Amino acid sequence: MPGPVLDPVITENSLPPKADVVIIGGGIIGVSTALFLAERGIQVVLCEKGALGGEQSSRNWGWVRVMGRDRREIPLAMAALKIWDTLDARVGGETGFRRSGILYISESEQDIANRDAWLTHARQHGVDSRQIGADETQSRMSGAITRYKGALFTPSDGRAEPQKAVPAIAAGARRAGAHIVTGCAVRGVERSAGRISAFITEKGRIETTTVVLAGGSWSRLFCKGLGIRLPQLKVRNTVLRTAAVAGGPEGAAATATYAYRKRLDGGYTIADGSANLHPIVPDSFTFFRDFQPARKAEGEAVQVGLSAQSWRELFEIAPVPLDRPGAFERHRVLDPRPDSRSALRAFAEARKVFPALRQTAPLQIWGGLIDVTPDAVPVISHAENVPGLIIATGFSGHGFGIGPGAGHLVADLVTGAQPIVDPSNFRLSRFSDGTPIEIAPPV
C-alpha cells in the first residue's frame, strides 16, 4: 500500500569524487546531521537509496515529546525541542512544528502510579510535565464525551508534520551546502590501514574518511557487512489519516486503545500504540537473548508473526560483492502491509469519545517499520572496530521528535565539538561490555 505523500524537494543526480563526510540514509536523522555539518562548513554528501523520508520518518505519529521518554533520552529530547522551536526559520521552510501539549490519559490507579514514578526522574531535568485531574483532562480534550481519571500532561511538548519535516530540513541542508543524492544505494566501504577510505555506491565511489550510518531499519544489514554486531530488530506499526474535521481536539493524546494528533491540514493522525508486530526474521534468532528482557516487559504490546518481510530477509543473509546490486537496491523503500483492522479499531474508539470525528472518514492507512534496540534507546556512537564510522540508529519509535537533537549530536561526534548532551548512554558498546540491559518501566 502506498505510504504518505511528502512535500517535494530538489536533490542532486550525481556524486562528487570526494567528501569530508558521507551520510547513509535520508530520514530525519540523516538530513538533520547533514544540516548541522553543512552549517559548520563540512563538505557532506548524503546518499538515500529511495526517497527522502520515504520510510519511518514520514510514517510516524508526528509527536515531538519529552514526556514518557527513557531517563537516558530526556536531555537529548529537551535539546531537540529547543531546536524545533527555531527550525522553520533555520531551514526556511515549514516543518509543521507547534508546541501544543501532549496528554497521556490515565484510566486506572496503576496508570497514575506509573506516571508518578516517571515524574520522580523527569523533574530532575526540569521538565514541565504534571499530573492533572479529570476536569482539566476533559477540558484539554475538546469535544470529548468520555470522562477519564486524569492524565500526565506536558504543555511544552508538541507536534510536527512528518511529511513536511524531512523535505524542509533537507532543503535547508542543501542551501547550507550539503550534497544530497536520492536513488543511490550504498553497497559498502573501502578501508585503508583499517580506516574507512572510500564509500561504494551504485552510482560510483566517493573518497571519504568519515561515514555516518543513519539507515533506520536497514542499519543492521549494513553493519553486518562490516562485521559489526548491532542488535536491532524491526517492529511494524500502522497509522490512519483522516479528512479535515471541525470541532475536534487540539494537540495530541494517547489512551489504552487509541492515540491522536491534530494535523496542519485539519485532519487527524490516529493509531493504536499497542498494535505492533515484529516479523520473524533470521535476526530474531540471532538476537533472541538480547531482546528477552524487552519481550517480557512489553507483554502483548508487540506480537510476533510471519510477514512478507520474513521471507524477504531469508534471502539477505549472504553477503554480496560490492560490484553487484544487493538488498539495498532490490528494496528501495520498506512499505509493509498495514494492519488496517487495528487502525480502524483505534479510529472507532476515538469516534466514541469525540463525536466530531464521526463527521470525517479515513483517507489513508499505512504501515511503517520501526528500528528497535533491546533497551529501546538509540545508538549514537562511534563504531570502535571500524574507525571513521559513526552509527545513529535504533531510535525505537522515538526518532522523529528527537531527530534534530540527534543530528546535532552526530555532528558533534564527527567534528569533535563539545557534545550537546553526554553521548555515553547511546554508546554501541553497552550491548557488549557486560552492562545489564536497562528496560524503562511503563509510563
Side-chain angles (χ1 to χ4, degrees):
M1 180 172 290
V5 178
L6 284 82
D7 286 354
V9 59
I10 297 171
T11 59
E12 283 73 35
N13 294 317
S14 60
L15 297 171
K18 61 173 58 177
D20 296 329
V21 181
V22 177
I23 300 170
I24 304 172
I28 194 162
I29 309 302
V31 297
S32 296
T33 300
L35 173 67
F36 285 104
L37 286 173
E39 286 182 344
R40 300 180 197 191
I42 305 297
Q43 185 185 17
V44 58
V45 173
L46 183 150
C47 293
E48 163 57 49
K49 61 180 174 48
L52 293 177
E55 296 183 342
Q56 192 56 22
S57 289
S58 66
R59 296 164 185 256
N60 61 83
W61 295 5
W63 289 25
V64 179
R65 64 179 174 87
V66 172
M67 186 169 69
R69 287 191 180 270
D70 186 289
R71 63 168 187 83
R72 293 163 287 184
E73 283 188 319
I74 291 174
L76 187 57
M78 295 180 74
L81 264 171
K82 291 180 180 178
I83 296 171
W84 277 105
D85 277 332
T86 61
L87 198 53
D88 283 7
R90 189 173 202 151
V91 302
E94 173 66 84
T95 64
F97 177 68
R98 305 288 187 272
R99 285 199 187 236
S100 52
I102 294 179
L103 296 159
Y104 277 5
I105 304 303
S106 295
E107 301 178 56
S108 67
E109 293 299 327
Q110 186 60 57
D111 288 342
I112 295 172
N114 289 344
R115 280 135 202 191
D116 273 336
W118 180 81
L119 280 170
T120 299
H121 297 289
R123 287 192 180 111
Q124 300 172 22
H125 299 279
V127 302
D128 62 348
S129 305
R130 58 188 173 87
Q131 296 263 38
I132 61 176
D135 289 343
E136 186 175 353
T137 298
Q138 191 157 26
S139 72
R140 293 189 178 281
M141 300 177 74
S142 178
I145 60 174
T146 299
R147 185 176 175 84
Y148 294 103
K149 278 184 173 292
L152 180 63
F153 174 55
T154 306
S156 62
D157 279 350
R159 67 189 198 269
E161 293 299 328
Q163 293 88 49
K164 290 182 173 294
V166 169
I169 298 169
R174 289 186 71 245
R175 281 191 288 272
H179 192 96
I180 298 177
V181 185
T182 55
C184 182
V186 178
R187 295 176 177 175
V189 301
E190 290 181 358
R191 294 188 241 189
S192 177
R195 185 178 179 88
I196 290 174
S197 58
F199 184 80
I200 309 303
T201 81
E202 65 177 304
K203 292 189 176 183
R205 177 180 180 274
I206 309 176
E207 292 184 11
T208 189
T209 57
T210 305
V211 171
V212 173
L213 175 59
S217 291
W218 293 94
S219 298
R220 154 60 183 166
L221 183 60
F222 194 86
C223 281
K224 184 178 179 182
L226 297 176
I228 298 171
R229 188 179 191 274
L230 173 67
Q232 178 177 290
L233 295 175
K234 304 175 184 69
V235 170
R236 183 198 66 189
N237 187 250
T238 299
V239 174
L240 178 149
R241 175 173 71 91
T242 78
V245 61
E250 294 296 322
T255 74
T257 55
Y258 68 90
Y260 66 80
R261 172 183 65 83
K262 181 72 175 288
R263 301 169 58 92
L264 280 186
D265 61 13
Y268 287 84
T269 292
I270 293 177
D272 180 353
S274 64
N276 302 293
L277 172 73
H278 164 58
I280 297 173
V281 296
D283 278 343
S284 305
F285 304 97
T286 302
F287 300 129
F288 180 81
R289 297 182 70 176
D290 300 80
F291 279 86
Q292 272 302 92
R295 179 69 179 147
K296 291 177 181 177
E298 290 288 343
E300 296 183 359
V302 179
Q303 302 296 313
V304 297
L306 297 175
S307 72
Q309 192 70 25
S310 305
W311 309 118
R312 183 180 300 156
E313 294 196 21
L314 280 175
F315 300 97
E316 296 173 356
I317 296 174
V320 178
L322 298 185
D323 61 351
R324 288 171 48 195
F328 304 113
E329 288 153 83
R330 288 194 298 271
H331 311 298
R332 298 286 177 175
V333 176
L334 291 174
D335 186 23
R337 182 175 181 177
D339 179 3
S340 298
R341 183 177 299 179
S342 74
L344 291 170
R345 185 170 59 243
F347 185 43
E349 291 296 320
R351 295 176 96 186
K352 291 178 184 177
V353 177
F354 298 103
L357 294 182
R358 300 170 194 170
Q359 311 306 313
T360 189
L363 289 183
Q364 191 178 14
I365 299 175
W366 63 75
L369 289 177
I370 300 168
D371 46 319
V372 299
T373 61
D375 57 6
V377 171
V379 171
I380 307 173
S381 173
H382 290 278
E384 295 177 358
N385 60 336
V386 182
L389 177 65
I390 295 171
I391 301 171
T393 191
F395 284 82
S396 304
H398 316 154
F400 180 72
I402 212 170
H408 193 300
L409 179 57
V410 174
D412 295 339
L413 295 179
V414 168
T415 60
Q418 178 67 34
I420 190 172
V421 299
D422 180 2
S424 62
N425 285 321
F426 310 120
R427 69 193 188 281
L428 174 60
S429 62
R430 72 184 188 270
F431 299 122
S432 59
D433 62 9
T435 302
I437 291 176
E438 180 182 337
I439 306 296
V443 180

Short mmCIF file of all heavy atoms in Angstrom, two decimals, residues 34 53 91 101 117 128 142 188 190 262 299 338 384 415 425:
data_model
loop_
_atom_site.label_atom_id
_atom_site.label_comp_id
_atom_site.label_asym_id
_atom_site.label_seq_id
_atom_site.Cartn_x
_atom_site.Cartn_y
_atom_site.Cartn_z
N ALA A 34 23.10 16.18 8.21
CA ALA A 34 23.62 16.93 7.06
C ALA A 34 23.50 18.43 7.28
O ALA A 34 24.41 19.20 6.95
CB ALA A 34 22.87 16.52 5.79
N GLY A 53 12.97 10.58 3.45
CA GLY A 53 11.87 10.41 4.38
C GLY A 53 10.86 9.37 3.96
O GLY A 53 9.75 9.33 4.49
N VAL A 91 15.78 26.58 8.44
CA VAL A 91 15.81 25.91 7.14
C VAL A 91 15.01 26.66 6.08
O VAL A 91 15.03 26.28 4.91
CB VAL A 91 15.29 24.45 7.25
CG1 VAL A 91 16.12 23.68 8.25
CG2 VAL A 91 13.80 24.40 7.61
N GLY A 101 1.20 20.78 23.38
CA GLY A 101 0.97 19.92 24.52
C GLY A 101 0.58 18.50 24.14
O GLY A 101 0.01 18.26 23.07
N ALA A 117 5.90 7.73 39.06
CA ALA A 117 7.27 7.17 39.10
C ALA A 117 8.14 7.83 38.04
O ALA A 117 9.32 8.14 38.30
CB ALA A 117 7.22 5.66 38.91
N ASP A 128 8.38 20.19 32.45
CA ASP A 128 7.17 20.82 32.97
C ASP A 128 5.97 19.86 32.98
O ASP A 128 4.82 20.29 33.07
CB ASP A 128 6.83 22.09 32.19
CG ASP A 128 6.56 21.83 30.71
OD1 ASP A 128 6.84 20.71 30.24
OD2 ASP A 128 6.09 22.75 30.02
N SER A 142 -10.87 18.71 23.83
CA SER A 142 -12.03 19.45 23.35
C SER A 142 -13.01 18.54 22.62
O SER A 142 -12.64 17.82 21.68
CB SER A 142 -11.56 20.57 22.41
OG SER A 142 -12.66 21.26 21.88
N GLY A 188 28.78 -0.45 0.36
CA GLY A 188 29.77 -0.75 1.39
C GLY A 188 30.87 0.28 1.41
O GLY A 188 30.77 1.33 0.78
N GLU A 190 35.32 0.99 1.56
CA GLU A 190 36.69 0.51 1.41
C GLU A 190 37.49 1.00 2.60
O GLU A 190 37.22 2.06 3.16
CB GLU A 190 37.32 1.03 0.11
CG GLU A 190 36.74 0.43 -1.15
CD GLU A 190 37.41 0.98 -2.39
OE1 GLU A 190 38.31 1.85 -2.25
OE2 GLU A 190 37.05 0.55 -3.50
N LYS A 262 -3.62 16.17 16.07
CA LYS A 262 -4.22 17.13 15.12
C LYS A 262 -3.17 17.49 14.07
O LYS A 262 -2.02 17.79 14.39
CB LYS A 262 -4.66 18.39 15.86
CG LYS A 262 -5.32 19.46 15.00
CD LYS A 262 -6.72 19.02 14.58
CE LYS A 262 -7.46 20.13 13.82
NZ LYS A 262 -7.86 21.24 14.73
N GLY A 299 5.16 -7.53 27.05
CA GLY A 299 3.97 -8.38 27.11
C GLY A 299 3.32 -8.50 25.75
O GLY A 299 3.96 -8.86 24.76
N PRO A 338 -0.10 -2.64 5.94
CA PRO A 338 -0.58 -2.16 7.24
C PRO A 338 -1.57 -3.12 7.87
O PRO A 338 -2.19 -3.95 7.19
CB PRO A 338 -1.24 -0.83 6.91
CG PRO A 338 -1.69 -0.98 5.50
CD PRO A 338 -0.65 -1.85 4.82
N GLU A 384 33.74 1.24 17.27
CA GLU A 384 35.12 1.13 17.72
C GLU A 384 35.99 0.29 16.79
O GLU A 384 37.18 0.57 16.61
CB GLU A 384 35.16 0.57 19.14
CG GLU A 384 34.53 1.51 20.17
CD GLU A 384 34.50 0.91 21.55
OE1 GLU A 384 34.94 -0.24 21.71
OE2 GLU A 384 34.04 1.61 22.49
N THR A 415 32.77 16.13 14.35
CA THR A 415 33.72 17.26 14.36
C THR A 415 34.56 17.34 15.62
O THR A 415 35.52 18.12 15.68
CB THR A 415 32.96 18.59 14.20
OG1 THR A 415 32.04 18.74 15.29
CG2 THR A 415 32.20 18.62 12.88
N ASN A 425 25.34 7.37 27.13
CA ASN A 425 24.17 6.49 27.24
C ASN A 425 23.78 5.86 25.91
O ASN A 425 23.02 4.89 25.88
CB ASN A 425 22.97 7.28 27.78
CG ASN A 425 23.07 7.56 29.26
OD1 ASN A 425 23.52 6.71 30.02
ND2 ASN A 425 22.64 8.74 29.67
#
